[in-house]
Amino acid sequence: MGNARLNRWSCCLVSLLLLAPLMFGSGRCAAETNDAPTPIPEIQAAIRSRLENHGDGDTVGCQGEILCGTQLLPTAYDKRDDLPLWVDDGCSVERATHLFDLIGKATEDGLNPADYHHHAIQHLLAAICERRTTGIAVPPAWWADLDLILTDAFLLYGSHLSTGRVNPETLGTDWKIHPGSVDLMAVLDSATAPDGNIETAMDALRPPYDGYHSLRRALARLRVLAPANGWPTVAGDKTLRPGDRAAAVTALRHRLTESGELNPARPVTDTAFFDSQLAAAVKRFQRRHGLEPDGIVGRKTVGMLNVSVEQRIRQVALNLERWRWRPRDLGNRYVMINTADFRLDAVEDGQVVVTMRVVVGRPARRSPVFSARISYLVVNPYWNVPTTIAVEDILPELRKDISYLSRHNIRVFENWQSGAREVDPATVDWRAYHANRFPFRLRQDPGTHNALGRIKFMFPNPFAIYLHDTPHRSLFRRAQRDFSSGCIRVEAPMALAHFVLAENPTWTDDKLAELIDSGETRTIRLRHPVPVHLVYMTAWTDETGSLQFRSDIYQRDRDLQKAFDRHHPKRSPGLAFMPDTPDGQTRDWKNKFDGN
C-alpha cells in the first residue's frame, strides 16, 4: 500500500460496473435462492485489487460515486487483510441494508443522504437482489464495490455527524473553531464487529449535547408542517394592536395557532377581534423570536410571522451544523455567549447559574466565533483605544473640536511603545493624519466614564476581543443589541466576576467592590482559567423545549447556506456504467431480501 493514499481525504469517483436496467420479477433474495454465496476469499481479492490498482493521487471508484475516503479506506481494510466489513460468509445484506436505512435518515440531522452514496447503494443492492432472485451468481467485484462504497459512506457520514459538513474557518476570518477529533476507525470497528450495533455506533458520533438532540426533534416537528403548506401569512399593511378588529386578525390567530403560541381549544366567538388572549400569544411569539414583547404586530413582528416553514427548516438545519462544530468538552464551568441572541450564560455542572444581556459588535465590526479561557481580570482598567476606532470614530470628532479628548479623559502618546512620551493634542495638526498614517496611542483613564467600565475580563485570542463593563447602561434595554466595535459589553459585571472568581476565595464581593471604589488599576489572575465560548446560534430550543429563532444579524446563515449549496455529490462524467432504473421499474427492493 502506498503511503501517498494515506495522506489526504480526497473526494473521488469512478464507476466500475455495467449493469443492465433492473427488471424486477417475483421471488426473494433469500437463502433458498438458487445462487451460491460468493466465496469470501474472492471478495477479499476484489477489494484488494480495487485498493491496490489505484496509484498515488488516483481514485478508488464505485458505482459512479466519488469516494471520499481515499485516505481512510486503505487503513480500514489493511487491518482486516482486505476482508469485507459489511458482507458475511453467507453474503447476507442485512447489515448493508441497515446502514442504507440509517443513511436515508440523514435528513433528521439536517444532512442530505445523497452526499453519502444513497442512490448508488440502492441501485447496487437492487442489482444484487435481481441476480440472486434469478439464480445468477453475483460477481465478486459487485460485492467488493458494495462493501467499499458502504465503508466510504459510513466514514463520510460519520465525519459530518461528528465535526460538521462544512469547515467553519472557510466561511470567514472571524471563525476560529476546533471541534476536536473523533476516532472514526474505532467507531467503524465497533459498528462492524460481529456483535456491533451500527445505529448505536452512529449515534455516538453525534454531538453529546441535549441541545443538539432537542433541536433535532424540533426539526422533525417543523417537517410535519411543511407538507401541509406550512402556516398562513399575515398582512403587513397595517399595524395590529389589542382591541383592533380586522380580517388580518383572523389570519394572525390562525398563524399563532399553527405554531403553538395560541391554544386552539379555547373557544372564540369573534375571530377578527384582537383580544387579550391573542395579545398574550403575540408576546409569546415575540419573545420566542427575540423581539420586543409589546403585543403589537408591527413591521418586525409581521416579518418574523411570514418567514415560511421551509425557511425555518433550513435555519434549523444550519444551526444543527453549528452544534457539530462545538468542542466535545466545553468544561465543567464555562461562559457561553450567543452573539445572535445578545446573551451570556455562565454554566456550572450543566446548569446555567448566571445569565445576562450583552451588547455585541455591530454588523460592520462583527464579534467573532471562537473559544478561549478567561485567565485574568483588570479592575479600573485603562482603555487603549484600538487604532481602527481611533481613526474611524475619534479622529473625525477631534478634528472638529480638540476638547473632545479632555471631555472624555483621553490622553495622547506619541506611539505604542512602552514609556512613549505623552503629547499635547493641541500641538498636533490632526488634519494631516488618516488611516494609513496614525502613529499615536490614545488612552482613556479609568473612571466612571471609561468605555470599559470598572472591570474587563481577559482571555488571550487572535481577535483582541474581551468582555467588559460599560457606562452606557441604556443599551441593555434594547431587544437587538449590536452596537459595539466587536468586544462584548456585559450587563452584570459583578455577577460575572463573582462566577469567575469563585475559586479565588480571597476575592469576596466586598473586597472587589472596595478595590473598584479605590480607583486603583489592578490585575487579578485566576487560579483556574474559565473557558469562554463565543457562538452564533440563530435557532435553538430553550429549557422548556420551545424552539427559539433569532435574526441573522451578521448574515452568517446566508453564508453557511451558500457553502451547503456549493457542495453537490460528484459523479464521473462518461464513466457511469450503471444507468438509472427506468421510470416505473423501481420497487421496494428491501422487501425482496426477506430479512436476509
Side-chain angles (χ1 to χ4, degrees):
M1 299 289 176
N3 290 331
R5 71 185 183 192
L6 300 178
N7 291 335
R8 70 184 182 279
W9 182 278
S10 62
C11 284
C12 52
L13 180 64
V14 181
S15 64
L16 298 169
L17 298 176
L18 176 59
L19 302 181
L22 303 178
M23 299 296 293
F24 291 91
S26 60
R28 299 176 301 171
C29 272
E32 63 266 24
T33 56
N34 295 327
D35 69 312
T38 304
I40 289 296
E42 295 183 27
I43 301 175
Q44 178 186 25
I47 291 173
R48 181 175 295 130
S49 176
R50 292 284 186 265
L51 295 175
E52 288 183 343
N53 288 341
H54 86 287
D56 293 346
D58 290 342
T59 63
V60 180
C62 294
Q63 302 306 307
E65 294 289 301
I66 294 183
L67 300 188
C68 295
T70 303
Q71 177 182 1
L72 292 184
L73 279 176
T75 303
Y77 286 95
D78 275 349
K79 62 195 302 184
R80 295 168 177 80
D81 195 27
D82 297 324
L83 288 168
L85 304 180
W86 308 97
V87 179
D88 62 19
D89 290 342
C91 287
S92 167
V93 293
E94 181 179 357
R95 292 212 292 183
T97 55
H98 190 186
L99 179 56
F100 173 83
D101 288 341
L102 292 178
I103 292 170
K105 296 178 181 178
T107 54
E108 296 176 4
D109 289 274
L111 298 171
N112 186 355
D115 290 343
Y116 315 111
H117 316 309
H118 194 253
H119 189 65
I121 295 169
Q122 180 180 19
H123 273 273
L124 184 50
L125 282 167
I128 290 172
C129 173
E130 180 70 11
R131 285 263 180 153
R132 298 189 73 183
T133 54
T134 57
I136 303 175
V138 178
W142 291 23
W143 291 115
D145 280 345
L146 176 64
D147 210 80
L148 285 166
I149 201 170
L150 286 168
T151 301
D152 187 71
F154 181 94
L155 293 172
L156 184 58
Y157 186 24
S159 172
H160 289 179
L161 277 181
S162 58
T163 57
R165 180 172 176 268
V166 174
N167 179 355
E169 295 190 6
T170 64
L171 299 176
T173 57
D174 55 356
W175 290 86
K176 291 292 180 185
I177 302 178
H178 305 286
S181 59
V182 173
D183 190 344
L184 285 175
M185 300 308 295
V187 179
L188 178 65
D189 289 345
S190 172
T192 57
D195 58 348
N197 186 302
I198 304 171
E199 189 165 5
T200 299
M202 193 70 76
D203 189 58
L205 290 168
R206 293 186 172 92
Y209 308 113
D210 291 340
Y212 179 86
H213 295 280
S214 180
L215 190 58
R216 199 168 165 262
R217 291 190 293 271
L219 178 61
R221 293 195 299 270
L222 281 177
R223 285 198 164 121
V224 171
L225 293 174
N229 298 319
W231 40 61
T233 58
V234 177
D237 53 343
K238 180 183 177 182
T239 297
L240 299 176
R241 293 179 170 84
D244 286 349
R245 180 176 280 104
V249 174
T250 300
L252 173 64
R253 192 179 295 279
H254 187 188
R255 167 66 177 82
L256 294 177
T257 299
E258 288 293 321
S259 54
E261 282 84 11
L262 189 62
N263 184 357
R266 178 180 173 273
V268 178
T269 56
D270 186 355
T271 61
F273 180 66
F274 199 141
D275 60 16
S276 60
Q277 294 295 324
L278 182 58
V282 169
K283 290 179 182 179
R284 283 191 287 272
F285 176 88
Q286 290 169 329
R287 281 190 290 267
R288 207 162 64 82
H289 292 77
L291 302 171
E292 188 66 36
D294 55 13
I296 298 172
V297 183
R299 178 179 56 83
K300 289 184 178 179
T301 300
V302 168
M304 285 290 192
L305 286 165
N306 289 339
V307 175
S308 69
V309 174
E310 290 77 12
Q311 287 175 277
R312 291 306 188 197
I313 287 172
R314 288 193 293 272
Q315 189 174 355
V316 169
L318 296 177
N319 284 275
L320 283 169
E321 175 76 352
R322 292 186 177 118
W323 272 108
R324 294 188 284 265
W325 293 341
R326 292 194 187 184
R328 292 262 159 168
D329 182 7
L330 297 174
N332 184 53
R333 302 181 75 251
Y334 62 88
V335 173
M336 180 76 71
I337 301 164
N338 182 1
T339 54
D341 187 35
F342 318 109
R343 183 158 297 277
L344 177 152
D345 290 328
V347 180
E348 184 168 10
D349 295 327
Q351 300 296 317
V352 176
V353 295
V354 178
T355 186
M356 68 188 69
R357 299 174 183 182
V358 297
V359 174
V360 305
R362 53 187 181 268
R365 297 177 183 172
R366 308 190 307 184
S367 297
V369 177
F370 66 96
S371 294
R373 297 171 73 82
I374 301 174
S375 55
Y376 65 96
L377 284 63
V378 180
V379 180
N380 295 316
Y382 288 90
W383 182 38
N384 290 296
V385 183
T387 301
T388 298
I389 297 176
V391 170
E392 295 181 3
D393 300 345
I394 297 179
L395 182 58
E397 295 296 330
L398 63 88
R399 281 174 176 168
K400 293 184 291 185
D401 183 2
I402 194 66
S403 69
Y404 177 91
L405 295 174
S406 60
R407 285 188 284 111
H408 290 83
N409 297 318
I410 296 176
R411 299 158 67 185
V412 181
F413 296 84
E414 61 182 354
N415 56 50
W416 284 80
Q417 295 178 4
S418 177
R421 180 178 62 88
E422 187 172 357
V423 175
D424 181 353
T427 65
V428 179
D429 179 8
W430 295 106
R431 291 170 297 181
Y433 294 92
H434 46 76
N436 295 324
R437 184 191 179 214
F438 196 88
F440 306 105
R441 173 165 59 99
L442 307 185
R443 191 183 76 183
Q444 187 177 43
D445 288 338
T448 56
H449 299 292
N450 184 281
L452 306 185
R454 294 300 192 137
I455 310 177
K456 68 176 180 178
F457 303 81
M458 302 300 292
F459 39 97
N461 62 83
F463 305 101
I465 294 295
Y466 47 87
L467 310 178
H468 64 88
D469 182 18
T470 176
H472 305 295
R473 313 302 300 173
S474 63
L475 294 178
F476 291 114
R477 294 195 292 270
R478 305 276 190 93
Q480 183 166 321
R481 298 182 293 276
D482 51 342
F483 304 108
S484 84
S485 294
C487 287
I488 311 295
R489 306 174 193 174
V490 298
E491 180 183 27
M494 288 295 288
L496 182 59
H498 178 82
F499 176 78
V500 301
L501 289 171
E503 297 183 3
N504 294 54
T506 58
W507 282 103
T508 64
D509 291 351
D510 288 343
K511 186 175 180 180
L512 185 60
E514 181 181 343
L515 177 59
I516 290 173
D517 291 341
S518 74
E520 175 190 353
T521 299
R522 184 164 177 180
T523 296
I524 303 175
R525 300 199 173 274
L526 303 185
R527 291 183 179 178
H528 303 285
V530 177
V532 57
H533 307 283
L534 275 71
V535 301
Y536 185 84
M537 300 290 290
T538 61
W540 71 95
T541 54
D542 63 18
E543 62 279 0
T544 68
S546 177
L547 185 54
Q548 299 279 324
F549 290 106
R550 294 296 182 268
S551 297
D552 184 19
I553 58 170
Y554 293 159
Q555 300 298 302
R556 285 173 172 160
D557 281 357
R558 178 201 62 186
D559 295 343
L560 180 54
Q561 186 63 58
K562 287 181 178 178
F564 265 65
D565 293 343
R566 279 195 298 267
H567 177 80
H568 299 284
K570 298 179 181 179
R571 310 185 76 82
S572 298
L575 293 175
F577 296 131
M578 188 177 70
D580 287 346
T581 303
D583 291 342
Q585 293 186 1
T586 301
R587 298 186 184 179
D588 185 4
W589 55 268
K590 289 189 297 176
N591 292 336
K592 300 173 73 64
F593 287 102
D594 197 29
N596 184 25

